[in-house]
């Protein structure tokens, strides 16, 4: 047996490269400044993106493959919904609903469900795929969904006047049967779960995050200076306490008074090299 090298591969690289070509992120409409998918994002990165600054560390083919696997799982949603509606006429469901977030923000909700019976309810679903390790941490260790997903879903749910926000996780790896049994996790829970949030939980988060993103983009559009925007995360971020700021984007180190830590996001930032050079 011989492992193929980069020069002798015949098939797999062609699949991956073709995938990457069709996985470019959609551009922001001309009359919009920020997207719901930027929820929880470092303010400096939001500033770079808003000004259309060229990425110094763009996603690689491997990155597009990792991110693109999520879209494959999302494609399972449409046939599942059609099957559901064929058996249940008590609800109406829309997929990929465009949502306006204030004057210059927008996004796309995965699914909006409306019940027909009184009292009518509006339920918003934000569906995420996640790697096996992240899923285990969220479910087994009780960490719940990533804060960025909650913020994004909260803004969508608030904008649509929803009665309930559902964050759904689909894992790319199963929890082992014996581990699931020990944790009291059923068969579906080994790879899929959801969390429910009521308006009293998601409205404050939505208003706070939408205000943050609007303020960042308003300032950067006025000044055209991304460096004036601090490297800070959301006001409610559980890992990087606001107003802690990234002091070393090369390592992700953040500091606030006597506290410090590392933000993993810097390692995956499309602008890490630019961010480091802007400190010089």
């Amino acid at each position: 047996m011989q492992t193929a090298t980069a020069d002798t591969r015949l098939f797999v690289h062609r699949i991956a490269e073709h995938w990457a070509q069709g996985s470019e992120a959609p551009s922001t409409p001309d009359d919009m400044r920020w997207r719901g998918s930027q929820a929880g994002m470092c303010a400096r990165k939001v500033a770079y993106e808003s000004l259309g600054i060229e990425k110094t560390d763009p996603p690689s083919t491997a990155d597009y493959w990792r991110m693109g696997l999520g879209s494959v799982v999302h494609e399972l949603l449409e046939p599942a919904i059609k099957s559901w509606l064929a058996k249940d006429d008590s609800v109406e469901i829309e997929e990929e609903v465009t949502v306006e977030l204030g004057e210059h923000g927008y996004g796309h909700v995965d699914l909006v469900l409306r019940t027909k019976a009184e009292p009518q309810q509006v339920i918003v679903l934000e569906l995420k795929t996640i790697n096996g390790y992240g899923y285990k941490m969220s479910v087994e260790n009780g960490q719940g969904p990533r804060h960025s997903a909650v913020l994004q879903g909260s803004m969508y749910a608030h904008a649509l006047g929803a009665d309930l926000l559902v964050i759904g996780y689909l894992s790319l790896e199963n929890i082992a049967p014996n581990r699931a049994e020990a944790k009291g996790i059923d068969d579906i829970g080994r790879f899929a779960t959801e969390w429910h949030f009521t308006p009293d939980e998601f409205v404050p988060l939505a208003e706070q995050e939408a205000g943050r993103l609007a303020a960042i983009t308003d300032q950067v559009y006025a000044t055209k200076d991304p460096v004036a925007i601090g490297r800070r995360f959301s006001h409610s971020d559980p890992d990087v306490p606001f107003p802690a700021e990234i002091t070393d984007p090369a390592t992700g180190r953040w500091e606030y008074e006597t506290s410090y830590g590392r933000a993993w996001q810097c390692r995956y930032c499309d602008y890490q090299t630019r961010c480091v050079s802007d400190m010089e």
Side-chain angles (χ1 to χ4, degrees):
M1 180 179 68
Q2 183 179 26
T3 301
T5 66
D7 295 326
T8 61
R9 293 184 187 121
L10 296 175
F11 302 106
V12 293
H13 65 293
R14 302 181 193 278
I15 298 170
E17 289 167 358
H18 177 77
W19 182 280
Q21 291 174 4
S23 299
E24 298 287 343
S27 59
T28 302
D30 292 338
D31 58 338
M32 295 295 172
R33 297 177 179 176
W34 57 274
R35 308 182 308 277
S37 57
Q38 291 173 314
M41 185 181 289
C42 170
R44 177 66 64 82
K45 183 178 180 181
V46 174
Y48 287 141
E49 288 189 347
S50 298
L51 291 177
I53 292 174
E54 184 177 358
K55 297 175 180 179
T56 55
D57 307 89
S60 66
T61 299
D63 293 324
Y64 279 122
W65 178 257
R66 172 180 55 83
M67 295 183 291
L69 287 174
S71 66
V72 172
V73 176
H74 273 69
E75 290 175 6
L76 298 174
L77 185 59
E78 183 177 358
I81 295 305
K82 286 183 177 179
S83 176
W84 179 2
L85 292 178
K87 305 170 186 175
D88 186 355
D89 62 358
S90 67
V91 297
E92 295 178 347
I93 295 176
E94 292 181 85
E95 298 176 65
E96 286 296 313
V97 178
T98 301
V99 180
E100 292 186 0
L101 304 171
E103 186 177 0
H104 297 295
Y106 83 106
H108 296 94
V109 180
D110 288 323
L111 185 147
V112 179
L113 180 149
R114 293 179 172 85
T115 61
K116 296 179 181 179
E118 296 292 345
Q120 294 182 333
Q121 283 194 315
V122 177
I123 300 173
V124 164
L125 167 67
E126 186 64 20
L127 187 64
K128 301 292 185 183
T129 52
I130 188 169
N131 60 60
Y133 175 76
Y135 185 75
K136 290 181 178 70
M137 295 297 289
S138 296
V139 176
E140 288 189 25
N141 292 1
Q143 292 185 358
R146 288 176 178 165
H147 194 59
S148 57
V150 176
L151 292 178
Q152 183 180 1
S154 293
M155 289 192 292
Y156 295 161
H158 183 38
L160 292 170
D163 301 288
L164 187 69
L165 165 65
V166 178
I167 304 294
Y169 263 13
L170 296 174
S171 176
L172 300 178
E173 180 183 344
N174 290 343
I175 294 175
N178 60 329
R179 289 178 64 90
E181 183 177 2
K183 297 284 185 176
I185 299 170
D186 66 8
D187 188 52
I188 296 296
R190 289 177 58 203
F191 66 92
T193 195
E194 60 186 50
W195 295 269
H196 297 180
F197 298 84
T198 57
D200 61 333
E201 294 172 304
F202 66 71
V203 169
L205 292 174
E207 293 178 342
Q208 190 176 68
E209 184 63 5
R212 183 184 81 100
L213 293 171
I216 294 167
T217 52
D218 284 351
Q219 179 178 335
V220 80
Y221 265 69
T223 64
K224 308 300 180 185
D225 180 17
V227 179
I229 304 296
R231 303 177 182 87
R232 297 187 178 96
F233 292 85
S234 74
H235 294 240
S236 54
D237 193 293
D239 300 316
V240 185
F242 190 86
E245 184 167 0
I246 300 295
T247 55
D248 182 7
T251 63
R253 181 183 174 89
W254 60 262
E255 296 178 3
Y256 175 59
E257 296 181 344
T258 59
S259 300
Y260 60 90
R262 292 188 189 277
W264 60 266
Q265 293 92 330
C266 290
R267 289 181 296 160
Y268 300 95
C269 181
D270 298 334
Y271 298 94
Q272 185 180 35
T273 301
R274 169 67 184 263
C275 196
V276 171
S277 67
D278 278 346
M279 295 189 68
E280 299 172 355

